Amino acid sequence: MEQTLKAFVAQLPTATLVKVYGKVTKVIGMTVESSGPLASLGDICLIYGQRSQCRAEVIGFREGNLVLVPLGELGDIGPGADVLALHTRLTVNCGAGLLGRIVDGLGQPMDGLGPIRDVVAREIEQLPIDPLRRRRIEHAVQTGVRVIDGLLTVGNGQRVGIFAGSGVGKSTLLSMIARGTAADVNVIALVGERGREVREFIERDLGEEGLKRSVVVVATSDQPALIRLKAAFVATAIAEHFRDEGLHVNFMMDSVTRFAMAQREVGLAAGEPPTARGYTPSVFAAMPKLLERTGPGETGSITAFYTVLVDGDDMNDPIADTVRGILDGHIVLSRKLANAGHFPAVDVLSSVSRLFSTVADKRHQSAAQLARTWLSRFRDVEDLLRIGAYRSGSDVDTDMAIAKVPEVNALLTQGTDDLTDMSSTIETLGQITGV
């Protein structure tokens, strides 16, 4: 009894004995202004309506009032509604209990399988690992996709962007990587996806086997901007937890562009001025904070694939240009190849893995470089071949490229279920090139 009393007395100096409420003064669009209570940027508050309540996050201050963005529907919130500061940040449950589960943008289960067990809470906002504490990337990781494993080899802990317009095969490529990867765990973030596509991706593309070792975080396009925004941080925090456990995590996010659009909505609501193509400065500040959190750690690693929806196939779009400058490589999908039935529609000559020379051996590098040379030469004379203007024998190297490119393309195309071991891909590439 005495020990219990002492413990109670010890907590009194830091205990909150009085609840201080603020009052809703204004609702404009997706923001709520509140006169009080005392709260810090990023704190979670509770807004009480007549019959329901809603959580909201403090995103700014205006003339002494809090500017809040709701984490859900406002419902029956009215003027003078009570606002209580919880003085906490958003957290997500992480652990082995998440494997095979589908959660919403705030980490709550949405698959009807009951509560998630064997988990621990972790704040979704984390600082990236100190760069001097990261291990170097020295080993390749298998994706099962021959064009990536053969010519754009990815390292264990590398971060790669997949750039494409709409309908060119980004989601399908992600599903192939999820099923063919040699990683221990997949963490998949579907940010701003169409509601129709979520179930299709999980059941048709990912499949039962892929889901067993995956965690899927879903925030569809109809969700509030803040939930779409937080979904990316929730998924990243889950991946970080598995990495800190010493596992190799395969992280996939579709898409960074919709994350940026959600941040733009929040930034505009907070009063930020629009800059490049309407994006606010906070968009370009938030992207490195998110993208730098993946990669190698002290024990485990996160190999990350981020899709970028390029508007009108414009690779110089501000978001595409920013992401390309942060990540360790980019894979460009070509609408021309997709229209020709070449899947995955990867434009090898426009794509690059910045760590290819580090993770691939000399024989592999030589074979890949020769295959690239053939593809480049063939592209130079492709139009001439179609109109019959190229004469065989004009150039020995070009003749070799014309003869070999069909074999190279046969290697680089594959069905969604035709996943291949990396060793087999490299061996076949060596046989085609004779290296």
Side-chain angles (χ1 to χ4, degrees), residues 19 21 34 85 92 148 161 179 192 208 218 228 295 321 327 393 423:
K19 290 183 178 180
Y21 291 86
S34 165
V92 61
I148 297 177
R179 286 180 284 113
E208 186 178 348
V218 177
R228 282 180 273 132
D321 198 43
L327 299 182
S423 57

Side-chain angles (χ1 to χ4, degrees), residues 208-275:
E208 186 178 348
E209 289 302 314
L211 183 59
K212 284 181 180 178
R213 55 171 178 162
S214 302
V215 182
V216 183
V217 180
V218 177
T220 52
S221 58
D222 61 298
Q223 294 290 307
L226 194 59
I227 291 186
R228 282 180 273 132
L229 185 67
K230 296 302 180 184
F233 291 104
V234 164
T236 303
I238 293 171
E240 287 174 325
H241 173 83
F242 287 117
R243 178 185 63 188
D244 294 345
E245 294 287 314
L247 300 177
H248 171 210
V249 183
N250 186 43
F251 179 82
M252 291 172 285
M253 177 174 160
D254 186 11
S255 70
V256 175
T257 306
R258 294 190 178 107
F259 165 82
M261 289 177 176
Q263 179 64 56
R264 176 175 62 185
E265 287 184 49
V266 173
L268 290 173
E272 288 187 70
T275 54

